[in-house]
Every structure is written in C-alpha cells, then in structure tokens.
Amino acid sequence: MTQAPAATRATRRQHDREIVMLAVPAFGALVAEPLFVMADSAIVGHLGTAQLAGLGVASALLTTAVSIFVFLAYATTAAVARRVGAGDLQAAIRQGMDGIWLALLIGATVIAVVLPSAPALVGLFGASDTAAPYATTYLRISSIGIPAMLIVLAATGVLRGLQNTKTPLYVAISGFIANGVLNVGLVYGADLGIAGSAWGTVIAQWGMAAVYLVVVIRGARRHGASLRPDAAGIRASAQAGAPLLVRTLSLRAILLIATAVAARLGDADIAAHQIILSLWSLLAFALDAIAIAGQAIIGRYLGADDPQGARAACRRMVQWGIAVGVVLGLLVILSRPLFLPLFTSDPTVKDTALPALIMVAFSQPICGVVFVLDGVLMGAGDGPYLAGAMLVTLAVFAPAALLVPTLGGGLTAVWGAMTLMMAVRMLTLLLRARSGRWVVTGATR
C-alpha cells in the first residue's frame, strides 16, 4: 500500500529533475535570442530615427523568415531524441546532420531570393523614403547570416535531442556578447553606420554556427556517424518538418490578423496591443522552455519503447505547465502598475491596455497546457495532427477577430479572441493527448 505512492513520488521527482535540467537552460537560450535585436536597436538608435526605422523593417523581415523555419529545431529534436532513447547515438547524430544539411540548403535558397528582392520586400513593409535605403542595406548584408541562423536552429535541435540544453545556452550568451562588441566596434569605431551593425550580427551568427558545427562534428566522429549529405535523410527531415511548417505559418497568420485588427481600432489600441504582445511573447518563452523539455523527454521515452514512461512524463509536464501558468498570471496582475509605465505615459493607452492585460493574465494556465502538450506531441513526431489542429484553430479565430471592429469591444475583444484561440488549441491538444494515438514507440515513428 505504501510502495506505490513512494514509487510515484520518486518518479515525479525524477521527472521534475529532468524538466528543470532541460527547461531552465532552454529558457535562458530563448531569452537570449531577442536580445540580439534589442542590442542592435540600442546601438543603431543613436545613429538617427531613419536608421532605427530601417532596422525595424529589416529585423521584422528577418525574424519572420527565420521563424518560419523553426521546424528545423523542433523536428530534429524529436527525431534525435527517439534514437537516443533507442540507444543508437550514431543514428541520432546522423539524423541531426541531415537536419543541418537541410538548413544549409534552405539558407542558400533564402539568400538567393532576398539579395535581389530586398528593395521590393522593404517596400512591401511600407518603409518611408528615408528609412528604405537603410532597411535595404541591413537586409542585404544580414541575409548572409540566414544560413548560419538556420544551422543554429538545426544544431540546437540536435543537442536538445541529445538531452543537452546547456550548450545552446552558453553559445547564445557568447553570441549575444560578441554581437554587442562587434556592433559597437563596427558602427562607431569603424564608422560603418547601420552596415556595421548588420556585419557585426552576421559575424556573431556565423561564429555561433561554427561552434555548433564543431560540437556536432566531434560527436559524429566519436560515434562513427557520417558527415556527408544523404539525400534520403535530408528528404525525410524535410517531410517531418513540413507539417510543423504549416503549424508555424498558421500561428503567424493568427498573430498578423490580431495586429491588423488592433491597427484598425485606432492609435491607442495598436500601441496598447504592441505592449501586450511583447509581454505575451516574453511569457511564452517561459512556457516554451517546458515544451522544449517535453520534446526531448517524450522522444527519448518513445524511442526506448517505454509508453508508460512517456504518458507519466506527459502528465507531470502538464502539471508543470498549469502551475507555471498560474504563477505567470499572478505576476502579470501584481506587476501591471509597474509594467505599463515602462512602455507608455499616455493614460489612454494605459486604460486601453489594462483590461486586455488582465485577460492575458487569466489565460496563462490555458497557455501552460497548450505549450506543454504542443511540445509533447512534437516530441512524439505527431506533426500532421498539430498542423491540422492549428488550421482548425485559425478557422475559428479569424472570423472571431475580424468581427471585433463591427461588433465592438475594442482591444479587450481582440485579446478575448486570442484567449479563444488558445482555448481551442487546448481542446484539440487535450483530445489528442487523451486518445493515446500519439504514443508510437520505436527509433522512428
């Protein structure tokens, strides 16, 4: 009678240790990524308003381009973790190399598109005549770093699959420091202006990619894994990533629709929306760190033919997601008198943001469940279901959001639609989790 509870407590402690060991460094690495843009903005901002505006447009384009291909990290993590669970480290690293080769191919293609079309892309984003030249310069130079950014995504997936999230944290911190030093030196020391900022970021990105490649190549040699590109393996990586690409594009569409609707409501609403969206993104990093742990842990259990372990880990991570969501929600409510003045002194913007901010706070436990189960199903290689579920979510969200200007409710209604979106995602993910159809064991799905 006393052994079962004791065994359960021991299992929970084991899961807790694994989640913390993987999630905490992952959170640090996730937070380090947007700091690149913040550092560039702080340095370029002193050059002038036109330069900062140009950086804003180019950064938005680059961030969109890279975020579309985040499946390189997600799909690679799941595939590598399965093979780690099966005890085949050689195949795990070989799978990771296929993901890295795919990243290189995609990166080369993106460069070929961006370099000649940079002025047109900048024009699509509505850059002013004074900002457009700076945006074009930054975009063209920074496009050279896109393959490096994609290599970093794929290699990060390899290391996460190997249950290593500390190395990505160290690389991210080192890259952030190098980026800052290079930017200051090239922008002001070499007097290269916004071009210096772009070159500094490119050099830092390729330095990060080089470190990752050294780590992965050493692991490949240690375990006798081939480094040569394998057409079948690259094709399999692309096929595994395709559903996750659909999922990511659907999510980007949801965020764009929300921003477009907020913009139609007026200047105060769009200003408040941007403040809340920045907070929502920051909160997402904390929850996404648990999801990353879920990808690695679930993939390993399924690769080791341990469905009971996978289900137990899933239950524990959902509990973590809810608990972290509750804590984050409380922090938002308690800190709102301090948070809003950091971004605006306009009382109209504050009054517009406050009710929507409270709604965001109350939705955090829902977000916790969504992020965790998203990570669990990614770790299980259940990409096709995630793609279909996100398309359903988009189909529910789009009309609800687009009706806000007609039906009224202002920004609070927009974030009500965002909360509805997360609730639909939670429902679809819970249905899948409880069905058990995601529990497919073996070194490959």
Side-chain angles (χ1 to χ4, degrees), residues 62-401:
L62 290 165
T63 301
T64 300
V66 174
S67 65
I68 287 173
F69 300 113
V70 72
F71 70 83
L72 289 167
Y74 294 158
T76 304
T77 297
V80 171
R82 275 185 175 269
R83 287 161 176 78
V84 168
D88 192 348
L89 289 177
Q90 183 185 68
I93 296 176
R94 174 65 261 177
Q95 180 72 41
M97 285 304 306
D98 292 335
I100 291 172
W101 280 112
L102 177 61
L104 269 173
L105 290 173
I106 293 174
T109 303
V110 173
I111 287 181
V113 172
V114 171
L115 276 177
S117 62
L121 291 171
V122 168
L124 285 175
F125 265 61
S128 67
D129 292 340
T130 54
Y134 296 112
T136 301
T137 297
Y138 191 93
L139 182 59
R140 278 180 166 159
I141 296 171
S142 294
S143 67
I144 300 171
I146 288 176
M149 287 188 278
L150 299 186
I151 289 171
V152 167
L153 284 177
T156 299
V158 176
L159 296 181
R160 288 173 181 170
L162 293 170
Q163 318 296 296
N164 176 1
T165 56
K166 289 184 178 179
T167 298
L169 172 61
Y170 299 148
V171 174
I173 293 173
S174 301
F176 170 69
I177 294 172
N179 178 66
V181 172
L182 287 166
N183 270 250
V184 171
L186 294 174
V187 171
Y188 298 112
D191 198 25
L192 294 179
I194 195 169
S197 176
W199 280 117
T201 301
V202 166
I203 294 169
Q205 288 164 343
W206 276 107
M208 293 170 65
V211 172
Y212 274 117
L213 288 174
V214 168
V215 172
V216 174
I217 289 171
R218 283 179 178 174
R221 289 176 175 171
R222 188 182 308 119
H223 297 287
S226 173
L227 298 174
R228 295 179 179 178
D230 176 65
I234 294 172
R235 188 164 52 249
S237 294
Q239 289 171 347
L244 296 180
L245 175 61
V246 173
R247 168 201 168 276
T248 301
L249 290 173
S250 300
L251 182 56
R252 296 296 299 183
I254 287 170
L255 297 177
L256 286 173
I257 290 170
T259 300
V261 171
R264 292 182 60 188
L265 299 176
D267 290 347
D269 292 87
I270 186 60
H273 176 73
Q274 288 303 115
I275 293 171
I276 295 172
L277 188 60
S278 66
L279 175 64
W280 192 78
S281 300
L282 178 62
L283 298 174
F285 285 136
L287 297 171
D288 205 25
I290 305 174
I292 288 169
Q295 293 171 32
I297 293 170
I298 294 299
R300 192 190 72 227
Y301 272 116
L302 294 177
D305 290 318
D306 186 357
Q308 288 81 11
R311 290 190 180 93
C314 174
R315 286 193 297 271
R316 190 56 177 166
M317 280 183 282
V318 168
Q319 292 169 357
W320 267 80
I322 295 171
V324 172
V326 169
V327 171
L328 292 177
L330 290 173
L331 287 175
V332 170
I333 292 174
L334 294 174
S335 65
R336 70 187 188 278
L338 301 174
F339 174 74
L340 289 175
L342 291 175
F343 291 86
T344 181
S345 58
D346 187 332
T348 303
V349 175
K350 290 180 183 178
D351 291 342
T352 302
L354 185 58
L357 194 62
I358 293 174
M359 184 167 292
V360 169
F362 280 106
S363 70
Q364 287 308 298
I366 296 174
C367 295
V369 176
V370 169
F371 276 81
V372 167
L373 289 180
D374 211 35
V376 166
L377 297 184
M378 283 184 192
D382 206 11
Y385 182 84
L386 289 172
M390 189 59 81
L391 287 172
V392 169
T393 303
L394 175 59
V396 173
F397 169 80

